Amino acid sequence: VTASTMTEDTLLALIVDYCGWLTLTWYHTYDSRKSPPGFPDLCIAGRGGHLFAELKSSHGKLSPDQTAWKYVLQSSGAPWRLWRPGDWLSGKIGAELRYISQGRETI
């Protein structure tokens, strides 16, 4: 699979599986139709911290509501990430997950 062919759903599944392997706690709203719009796709927490992640395909764009959440979370000091398939394939996502899993750099 390449970054351009990986779907957002595939990316989500890979991240959630890795979170399980690292024993990270994660949350994803599966049906957001009755939730306020724009909240990040994933909240992930471990011994080393937490983060909020918005997942997009290689060329997906943030909606105005997603952008608003980004700025609210960042201004409060919360780590917010925009993750794309290329970030998984490069190892960037795995490194960040390992860090919050153990509280130290593990790559």
Side-chain angles (χ1 to χ4, degrees):
V1 74
T2 66
S4 62
T5 60
M6 185 185 297
T7 66
E8 189 177 315
D9 287 339
T10 299
L11 179 60
L12 174 65
L14 290 166
I15 293 169
V16 166
D17 284 348
Y18 198 53
C19 284
W21 188 77
L22 293 172
T23 65
L24 290 167
T25 300
W26 59 273
Y27 175 79
H28 170 71
T29 301
Y30 285 98
D31 186 354
S32 61
R33 290 177 291 182
K34 292 186 179 185
S35 298
F39 193 77
D41 291 311
L42 282 168
C43 301
I44 305 170
R47 291 186 316 178
H50 67 280
L51 61 78
F52 296 87
E54 183 62 45
L55 308 181
K56 291 291 179 193
S57 66
S58 291
H59 301 290
K61 304 216 183 303
L62 293 176
S63 72
D65 290 318
Q66 290 168 332
T67 300
W69 269 106
K70 168 188 171 179
Y71 290 125
V72 167
L73 290 167
Q74 288 178 330
S75 68
S76 74
W80 180 93
R81 303 289 188 269
L82 172 59
W83 283 341
R84 298 180 184 277
D87 298 321
W88 176 262
L89 296 172
S90 74
K92 176 184 174 183
I93 295 171
E96 290 194 71
L97 294 176
R98 288 189 303 276
Y99 179 83
I100 65 171
S101 168
Q102 299 185 12
R104 58 184 171 80
E105 189 60 49
T106 58
I107 55 173

